[in-house]
Amino acid sequence: MNSIESIETKIARIQAGEVYIFADIIDTYQNQIYKYCLRLLSNREEAEDAVQDIMLKVFEKVRYYQPKGSFTSWLYKIAYNHCLNLLRRRKLQQQISRLFGREAAAESTEQAVENKMFSEPLASALEKLTVEERNLLILRIFEDKSFEEIGEILGKNMEAVKKRYGRIKHKLKASMDLTAKEEGECAKATTLQKNRS
């Protein structure tokens, strides 16, 4: 029996009333959903809270799950929608803070380290993408999802997902090249200034 079958079997048993088996689902997916949330939210505490909320939502909705697609795709769809709502709320809070003239809290050392999980040009380029674009890249590159699975998660046609992924990769590369060029010019200017001193 492969792992997909065993998960599907466990889900069927949970739906039949053996709710204690849900602990196995948490053990199987908690860590990978945490990593996914961390990549989307770029905040460890928010990602930890998000995983708990997502697992609770999954537990509450599991009776409605129907094995049309894979359970994993269904789970990621719930995780993505949850993170998207958190990001929208965060953006709204930042706008309200600016409206009332409150300065954003200084970035903690821990947050600064978390924000540098990627190389500088990549981190800078990722910030310029929309949440939806970033999510597609994360699902494909870091979560190693097939275009078919991503289509299931996003509720989109597989061919449309492939095309969008190609456009996002091109946009990301162009942005990284620009950032690297700007950093190179900045470093050159600093070196010239030092040599003149």
Side-chain angles (χ1 to χ4, degrees):
M1 186 184 282
N2 66 33
S3 60
I4 299 295
E5 287 173 333
S6 66
I7 287 294
E8 296 295 342
T9 304
K10 283 176 185 175
I11 297 300
R13 287 173 63 192
I14 293 164
Q15 289 173 329
E18 296 179 60
V19 289
Y20 64 91
I21 296 171
F22 195 75
D24 291 351
I25 304 299
I26 292 172
D27 289 344
T28 305
Y29 291 105
Q30 189 168 11
N31 196 38
Q32 70 188 73
I33 292 297
Y34 167 72
K35 286 177 185 170
Y36 171 69
C37 292
L38 182 58
R39 287 178 179 128
L40 264 180
L41 301 170
S42 301
N43 182 298
R44 199 169 59 112
E45 280 179 30
E46 278 186 20
E48 285 168 359
D49 291 344
V51 172
Q52 290 178 14
D53 293 341
I54 289 160
M55 287 304 175
L56 184 62
K57 278 182 185 174
V58 170
F59 180 72
E60 288 167 352
K61 294 180 176 189
V62 77
R63 65 181 179 272
Y64 304 114
Y65 167 72
Q66 293 175 344
K68 289 174 190 164
S70 72
F71 174 75
T72 311
S73 297
W74 184 77
L75 174 64
Y76 270 88
K77 191 172 197 165
I78 291 172
Y80 170 61
N81 287 327
H82 183 80
C83 288
L84 192 59
N85 287 335
L86 288 177
L87 288 166
R88 284 178 182 145
R89 206 174 307 144
R90 186 197 291 172
K91 192 174 179 182
L92 183 65
Q93 285 169 343
Q94 286 169 347
Q95 286 169 338
I96 290 167
S97 291
R98 277 199 296 270
L99 187 67
F100 289 103
R102 289 197 203 111
E103 286 300 311
E107 188 177 55
S108 71
T109 311
E110 191 177 329
Q111 281 173 319
V113 170
E114 281 168 8
N115 290 339
K116 286 182 173 54
M117 285 192 322
F118 308 105
S119 70
E120 267 314 309
L122 178 58
S124 175
L126 282 170
E127 279 175 24
K128 290 172 187 156
L129 297 177
T130 66
V131 177
E132 288 81 3
E133 289 171 335
R134 217 168 43 230
N135 178 53
L136 203 157
L137 273 182
I138 289 166
L139 287 171
R140 181 70 181 152
I141 297 167
F142 299 105
E143 301 297 321
D144 203 25
K145 299 288 175 201
S146 69
F147 287 117
E148 192 177 352
E149 284 176 300
I150 296 169
E152 280 177 36
I153 294 165
L154 303 179
K156 303 236 186 269
N157 161 310
M158 187 176 84
E159 287 307 312
V161 169
K162 270 188 188 174
K163 282 180 188 165
R164 186 140 199 242
Y165 177 71
R167 284 197 301 269
I168 295 165
K169 259 185 18 180
H170 181 73
K171 182 178 174 180
L172 188 70
K173 187 184 180 316
S175 184
M176 282 175 70
D177 290 347
L178 183 67
T179 304
K181 187 181 172 190
E182 285 169 359
E183 284 178 2
E185 285 169 4
C186 189
K188 220 183 278 178
T190 307
T191 308
L192 280 170
Q193 204 167 8
K194 279 182 185 172
N195 291 343
R196 283 181 192 149
S197 314

